[in-house]
Amino acid sequence: MTNPPSGQWQQPGYGQPHYPPPGPRRPYGPPRRGNNNAAIIILAVFGGLILFCGGCVGIASLTSSDEPTRTKTTTTTLQPATQAAGGPAPSNALAPAEDAVPGPGTPVRDGQFEFRVTAVDPPVSSVGSGILEENALGEFIVVHVDVTNTGDEPRSYFDSNQKLFDDRGREFANDSQAGWRLDSESIMLDLNPGFTIQVAIVFDVPVGTVPAAIEFHDSMLSGGATVALR
């Protein structure tokens, strides 16, 4: 009987069939994976892009934080007032007028009363005569005033509501007792609407005091009206 060539199978003529010999056996374990170089390269490129973008954002934030904040400043220039004709106003146009306070002879009003200074006597050491004479601690300054009730009802006048100021800004209260010795009707009077009275307001001040202004009041709590005496 001729033997078949090696590696070829032939059915024998008798007995149990013969199977071809098994090929080489594969080792046990997980199957080997193919080449992953391409996937690694893609991941590396993608990660590099992420790092690059993050670095750019960080640099931009640092640059913006280091840049100083600029604040827009608006400067307003005050322009001097101009005259109605269009020409420039004088340099003292914004300064308060020095003659804003009226002087003697100019009527001023406070409440229902209108006051007008008619005269200021030179300083004296006493007022009145005989048993009614009153001596000053310093010297008396007497201010003569016309008082008119401009309201619609009677109003009480009190000399104690009036004040004197000297050229140093000091305030002096009137001397009602000396005013009574000089003219008893000058210290207190009920004045009907439309009537005018002449009163003398007396102030006891240190010798050499220069009277600068008198402040008139309709009542103790009124705002007052000032007349310059110089």
Side-chain angles (χ1 to χ4, degrees):
M1 179 177 182
T2 304
N3 294 327
S6 175
Q8 295 183 0
W9 177 78
Q10 184 175 5
Q11 179 70 33
Y14 58 91
Q16 295 294 332
H18 291 275
Y19 295 95
R25 299 181 62 184
R26 296 181 56 185
Y28 292 99
R32 291 185 295 176
R33 296 181 180 179
N35 193 351
N36 294 329
N37 291 337
I40 294 174
I41 293 174
I42 293 175
L43 292 176
V45 172
F46 184 71
L49 290 175
I50 293 176
L51 292 177
F52 177 76
C53 295
C56 292
V57 173
I59 293 174
S61 61
L62 290 177
T63 304
S64 61
S65 62
D66 292 338
E67 183 179 357
T69 301
R70 298 180 181 178
T71 302
K72 183 178 180 181
T73 303
T74 302
T75 303
T76 303
T77 303
L78 297 178
Q79 299 295 336
T82 56
Q83 296 178 348
S91 58
N92 60 349
L94 300 179
E98 296 182 357
D99 57 351
V101 179
T106 302
V108 296
R109 292 187 59 176
D110 182 66
Q112 290 187 199
F113 286 150
E114 179 183 89
F115 302 89
R116 185 173 67 91
V117 176
T118 58
V120 180
D121 292 343
V124 293
S125 59
S126 63
V127 294
S129 61
I131 61 174
L132 297 179
E133 183 178 12
E134 181 76 16
N135 295 318
L137 295 177
E139 58 186 13
F140 289 125
I141 294 179
V142 182
V143 182
H144 298 272
V145 183
D146 287 352
V147 182
T148 303
N149 185 352
T150 62
D152 298 328
E153 58 186 11
R155 193 71 169 176
S156 297
Y157 164 81
F158 296 93
D159 67 343
S160 58
N161 292 331
Q162 321 314 322
K163 303 175 183 179
L164 181 74
F165 294 87
D166 68 358
D167 59 346
R168 297 166 56 183
R170 295 181 296 180
E171 177 184 329
F172 298 92
N174 83 301
D175 189 332
S176 294
Q177 184 173 346
W180 182 82
R181 298 293 177 91
L182 186 65
D183 183 0
S184 61
E185 293 186 354
S186 294
I187 61 173
M188 183 181 67
L189 182 68
D190 289 334
L191 189 62
N192 285 321
F195 284 99
T196 300
I197 58 172
Q198 291 77 39
V199 298
I201 308 173
V202 183
F203 299 92
D204 192 349
V205 299
V207 176
T209 297
V210 179
I214 186 170
E215 186 176 281
F216 297 110
H217 288 267
D218 169 88
S219 66
M220 182 183 301
L221 301 178
S222 65
T226 303
V227 172
L229 300 180
R230 296 183 61 191

